[in-house]
Amino acid sequence: MKVTTMTIVSRFVSLAIAAVEVPVSRTPPPLTSHLAAIGMLIAQRNASGDWRFSLRSHAIGAGESEDVLIAWASEAMPPVGIVIGWQLAQRIVPPLLDAGASGDPEICRAFLNRLSRLVTMPSVDLAVHHGGAGAGPLIAVAERHGIAVPELTVLDIESAWAFGNRSLLTSHVDGLAIASWRLWLAEANGAAGAVTAAFEQWMSRSQDGQADR
């Protein structure tokens, strides 16, 4: 049986995270982020112009080490790709770097190597044209295009992490990654018609259980 492989000519990674703020000392009470979930929508185009998509996510609960999450991410993150996200430098990358700054040295090293290779590629910060670091939440812009965005509050995320509701956390980051990708396509000034159609077909099959995550 002949096995065909897909030659990737472009790859995009819509990246999303969920994190909680935890105190590192009592007086004064500075806060540090504790990573709770990572989600990514990966879109790949081959030389023939065909698109493939996959959705990957993982979450941890209170009491679980961030090492569990970043070890998963070290395997799940593609080595190269154009990263897409909302306020990458303010909301997404810092908690990832914090998680990779402590813990098991080998796990952290592998994660930071993979992360640095990915985020040093060209990236698309969707917030740049909406105020950059001063932009409001993703939902405010996405709703103008009719794009649904998860509406978990900071307290919702904290509670899900505290009580080990991993499915809620993964659903949240999945939704953020999908919303970011859809927003990027919506703001492409009509140039993304083919990929938008391919993605929505994939989403329809995914909801019917016919496509792989």
Side-chain angles (χ1 to χ4, degrees), residues 8-167:
I8 305 299
V9 297
S10 62
R11 178 186 289 118
F12 300 88
V13 182
S14 182
L15 190 60
I17 63 100
V20 296
E21 300 295 325
V22 294
V24 294
S25 65
R26 292 186 177 181
T27 52
L31 298 177
T32 186
S33 64
H34 187 93
L35 200 61
I38 301 173
M40 62 193 87
L41 172 70
I42 301 170
Q44 301 179 127
R45 181 173 61 86
N46 67 10
S48 300
D50 297 322
W51 287 86
R52 291 184 183 177
F53 306 95
S54 62
L55 191 59
R56 306 173 185 176
S57 57
H58 197 66
I60 58 173
E64 292 182 271
S65 171
E66 289 174 301
D67 286 352
V68 174
L69 195 50
I70 64 173
W72 170 85
S74 297
E75 298 295 328
M77 281 182 174
V80 294
I82 297 174
V83 177
I84 298 168
W86 184 262
Q87 292 183 318
L88 289 169
Q90 293 78 33
R91 294 177 179 267
I92 296 177
V93 174
L96 294 172
L97 292 176
D98 285 348
S102 59
D104 181 274
E106 291 300 319
I107 293 175
C108 290
R109 185 179 303 114
F111 172 69
L112 290 175
N113 285 343
R114 177 58 61 94
L115 180 65
S116 63
R117 288 182 63 187
L118 187 61
V119 300
T120 53
M121 294 284 291
S123 61
V124 178
D125 190 330
L126 297 165
V128 166
H129 300 297
H130 301 281
L138 170 62
I139 189 171
V141 176
E143 284 187 337
R144 298 175 200 163
H145 297 276
I147 297 170
V149 179
E151 297 187 51
L152 290 188
T153 66
V154 171
L155 290 177
D156 291 334
I157 293 170
E158 184 177 295
S159 294
W161 170 75
F163 297 105
N165 192 343
R166 298 174 190 81
S167 62

Side-chain angles (χ1 to χ4, degrees), residues 160-185:
W161 170 75
F163 297 105
N165 192 343
R166 298 174 190 81
S167 62
L168 184 60
L169 291 170
T170 54
S171 176
H172 177 69
V173 293
D174 285 348
L176 289 176
I178 291 169
S180 295
W181 173 251
R182 281 178 164 152
L183 179 60
W184 186 58
L185 297 181

